[in-house]
Amino acid sequence: MRKKNDTENMERPPKRRFNLSRLLVICILVAAVVFCVWFSIHVSNKESGSTIITEEKKITSITISSGIEDMGRLITAEYYYTHMEYYEESKKAWGFTIPFSTKSFILKCTGVVNAGVDFTEVRVDVDDVLKTVTIYLPNAEVYDNYVDTDSVELCDVDEALFNKIDASDATDLLDEINDAELLAALDKGVLETAEKNAEDIVESFVRSLIDDDEYGIIVSFTDDTDEEETTE
């Protein structure tokens, strides 16, 4: 019996008490680790995103060039005209008009002068520092200048007894009309209009690709677009 009592009277190990301060320290440490991991991932994602954006802009510069080149030689301005011209011709001898040799008529016609830009000669420079996209295009030129043959009409035809009207009379007059209307189209700014419309087309196309309002778009027309690109 004594032995049993001695065993019962042996000291038992003290119960561990709940340490609030230690738990608080552990929570703070865990929170700090979680924050560090989150911050690291966040910064890494931002850096990766910047690289992707930069790479996309480099790809976009190539896309800009190929996309504009695909437009080919595009008519960007049209000058329509209606022309009426009086024609008269007489035969002469020794400086005098031969009687009954004067023929005349009035020619009416419509035509068009087409001007445009050769987009296959485009050159593109992208400056990510200045945030600009510069498009170099060749100067506009006249592509077509012709009279609509279906519109040609001869009025007030007066044939002479000794000087009949033939097809060459109308053909020669049409050539003169072509030259006159070409000069009129140039004088009224058909080439300037062609370049302005080409600029609008290019700006709209480039803006749809880069989708970034921070980048300014500059369109420049030049006689020399063969320079090596300085920036991709």
Side-chain angles (χ1 to χ4, degrees):
M1 292 294 295
R2 175 179 287 276
K3 187 173 182 181
K4 183 177 180 181
N5 290 336
D6 290 341
T7 303
E8 290 177 354
N9 292 330
M10 289 179 62
E11 293 185 0
R12 297 180 179 177
K15 294 182 179 180
R16 294 184 180 178
R17 295 183 178 179
F18 183 74
N19 195 327
L20 184 59
S21 60
R22 180 179 297 177
L23 179 61
L24 183 59
V25 171
I26 292 174
C27 290
I28 293 174
L29 290 175
V30 170
V33 170
V34 170
F35 175 77
C36 289
V37 172
W38 173 86
F39 183 77
S40 237
I41 294 174
H42 182 68
V43 171
S44 176
N45 286 341
K46 285 185 68 176
E47 291 177 351
S48 298
S50 177
T51 301
I52 292 173
I53 291 173
T54 302
E55 289 176 357
E56 285 178 353
K57 289 191 181 302
K58 290 182 179 179
I59 294 173
T60 298
S61 69
I62 298 173
T63 305
I64 291 172
S65 297
S66 61
I68 295 176
E69 288 173 1
D70 287 343
M71 297 180 188
R73 297 175 77 249
L74 188 65
I75 293 174
T76 56
E78 297 171 316
Y79 174 81
Y80 290 96
Y81 61 85
T82 298
H83 195 105
M84 181 181 295
E85 189 78 19
Y86 177 74
Y87 176 86
E88 181 181 279
E89 191 263 337
S90 303
K91 290 185 177 294
K92 295 183 180 297
W94 300 286
F96 296 96
T97 299
I98 300 175
F100 308 107
S101 68
T102 301
K103 61 182 177 180
S104 64
F105 60 85
I106 295 175
L107 187 149
K108 297 179 181 179
C109 66
T110 60
V112 62
V113 177
N114 292 322
V117 172
D118 187 358
F119 290 104
T120 64
E121 299 296 328
V122 66
R123 181 167 62 86
V124 179
D125 288 343
V126 176
D127 191 324
D128 289 319
V129 177
L130 297 178
K131 290 192 175 296
T132 57
V133 178
T134 305
I135 313 295
Y136 296 97
L137 292 171
N139 291 327
E141 56 184 305
V142 173
Y143 287 159
D144 298 301
N145 174 28
Y146 61 88
V147 171
D148 180 6
T149 55
D150 292 335
S151 70
V152 176
E153 181 181 357
L154 298 183
C155 305
D156 296 339
V157 177
D158 185 10
E159 288 190 309
L161 181 62
F162 304 111
N163 192 11
K164 300 295 183 180
I165 294 174
D166 56 33
S168 64
D169 296 329
T171 301
D172 293 341
L173 186 57
L174 286 174
D175 289 339
E176 294 178 9
I177 291 173
N178 266 339
D179 294 340
E181 290 296 344
L182 174 58
L183 292 177
L186 295 174
D187 185 60
K188 293 182 179 180
V190 67
L191 294 179
E192 290 78 6
T193 302
E195 291 184 354
K196 179 61 175 66
N197 292 339
E199 180 179 350
D200 292 341
I201 292 171
V202 168
E203 283 188 3
S204 178
F205 175 74
V206 174
R207 185 63 65 191
S208 70
L209 289 178
I210 63 175
D211 193 24
D212 190 342
D213 292 336
E214 292 184 2
Y215 274 73
I217 300 174
I218 302 170
V219 179
S220 177
F221 291 90
T222 176
D223 289 326
D224 183 12
T225 58
D226 295 329
E227 297 179 14
E228 183 180 356
E229 295 186 18
T230 57
T231 307
E232 287 293 339

